[in-house]
Amino acid sequence: MKRAKANYLIQSVVHSLSLLEEFKGADDELGVTELSHRLNLHKNNVFRLLATLETKGYIEQNKATENYRLGVKALQLGQTYLRHSGIMQQARPALETLRSACGETVAIGVLKNGTTVYLDTLESTQSVRVVSRTGQCPPAHATALGKMLLAPLSDEELQRHLGETLEARTPNTIVDGEALRKALSRVESQGYALDHEEFEADVRGVAVPVRDYTRRVVAAIELTGPAYRLQDERMRRDLIPLLLQTAEQLSRRLGYESGLKIAS
């Protein structure tokens, strides 16, 4: 009988990876004591893990504060992932064309453990713009891109991704589970998702799905900009059709054969 992969886990490697993951959402450097509390490990163990990762270049220490941050090897691995991802090779030209046509910040991303993972972002060339979110992992329920990716999921999958509590990022964030499910049902039927200043104040967004040859939604393309530029009329008349056209072209490159349409 085949043994489960969990039987082959090396605990020190698991701890090392868990430690690296703690830096994913950190806005600043982290110290040994804080990491010890987060990981529920003795400080001596945390220090040994950090020393090992620092030697290999995955962690760097700020000599002034003695705290730690991600090292250059972590960046190199991320860049390698992006280069090897087939969808990324296809997406960049589509994003460039889209940005030229709309003049706003555009991005492509995927869903990971209830968060929106931005794989690539092209910023607007206008002076007032939404900055790149590449590498960021906002809660999926608070972004247009995230809601677009949550919409096709079953109730069981939604529960796994979202858990029991929905984080409020602005007063407009949907934090009620039933209200979110109704919103996702509308997203699924209309073929696009909107962000009404739900992740950042004064920032609106719209996202559409990207499908592959299996007809599954494998990513989403998002357009974001200042709320005063992304008014409802412009969204309906210009931006949503443009996004859908871009997503259809990218989906076809990935083997998807049926067009994407806005629900009437």
Side-chain angles (χ1 to χ4, degrees):
M1 185 175 179
K2 203 170 186 179
R3 297 176 66 191
K5 288 186 178 179
N7 294 327
Y8 297 96
L9 294 182
I10 301 172
Q11 203 61 40
S12 61
V13 176
V14 172
H15 289 326
S16 296
L17 295 174
S18 297
L19 186 151
L20 286 172
E21 289 172 357
E22 287 300 322
F23 288 88
K24 182 176 65 176
D27 295 327
D28 206 347
E29 300 164 347
L30 298 175
V32 173
T33 301
E34 183 173 1
L35 285 167
S36 173
H37 290 154
R38 290 188 180 198
L39 297 170
N40 196 27
L41 293 173
H42 193 278
K43 287 200 291 186
N44 286 341
N45 291 340
V46 172
F47 179 79
R48 291 171 63 190
L49 292 172
L50 287 167
T52 302
L53 292 168
E54 184 180 10
T55 299
K56 299 297 293 182
Y58 291 96
I59 287 291
E60 296 175 351
Q61 186 180 36
N62 183 331
K63 302 305 180 183
T65 65
E66 297 188 347
N67 290 333
Y68 294 84
R69 60 191 174 221
L70 289 179
V72 69
K73 279 289 186 66
L75 173 63
Q76 291 171 348
L77 276 184
Q79 290 176 330
T80 300
Y81 168 76
L82 293 180
R83 286 197 303 270
H84 290 176
S85 175
I87 192 171
M88 291 303 302
Q89 295 176 5
Q90 301 290 342
R92 176 49 79 100
L95 291 180
E96 289 174 345
T97 301
L98 177 61
R99 181 180 62 173
S100 296
C102 69
E104 301 294 350
T105 296
V106 297
I108 187 167
V110 295
L111 184 66
K112 184 70 173 178
N113 297 329
T115 62
T116 305
V117 180
Y118 287 87
L119 300 177
D120 196 11
T121 305
L122 295 180
E123 290 187 9
S124 167
T125 56
Q126 302 189 61
S127 57
V128 180
R129 63 185 182 274
V130 176
V131 299
S132 172
R133 295 176 179 172
T134 300
Q136 292 188 30
C137 300
H141 68 280
T143 66
L145 197 150
K147 286 191 287 184
M148 188 69 256
L149 295 169
L150 290 171
L153 302 184
S154 66
D155 285 345
E156 182 179 343
E157 290 171 318
L158 282 176
Q159 181 65 30
R160 178 167 55 85
H161 277 284
L162 299 177
E164 299 295 333
T165 305
L166 299 176
E167 177 187 0
R169 297 302 298 256
T170 76
N172 291 347
T173 308
I174 301 174
V175 293
D176 177 75
E178 185 58 32
L180 179 63
R181 283 175 171 78
K182 289 180 180 179
L184 295 178
S185 178
R186 290 195 298 273
V187 168
E188 178 75 349
S189 63
Q190 69 193 10
Y192 61 89
L194 297 173
D195 169 6
H196 296 289
E197 303 182 51
E198 295 164 57
F199 179 60
E200 296 179 77
D202 303 317
V203 173
R204 297 187 71 186
V206 56
V208 297
V210 175
R211 303 175 187 271
D212 66 5
Y213 64 96
T214 67
R215 303 179 65 86
R216 290 187 308 111
V217 175
V218 294
I221 297 176
E222 182 184 65
L223 182 156
T224 52
Y228 74 88
R229 284 208 304 263
L230 269 60
Q231 298 294 322
D232 290 343
E233 182 180 357
R234 185 187 177 212
M235 297 270 266
R236 287 193 302 267
R237 185 190 66 232
D238 300 324
L239 300 182
I240 293 174
L242 187 58
L243 267 172
L244 286 165
Q245 181 183 21
T246 302
E248 179 176 2
Q249 292 170 350
L250 179 54
S251 296
R252 285 176 175 172
R253 292 175 190 163
L254 298 175
Y256 183 64
E257 296 183 354
S258 178
L260 305 173
K261 301 181 182 297
I262 304 178
S264 57

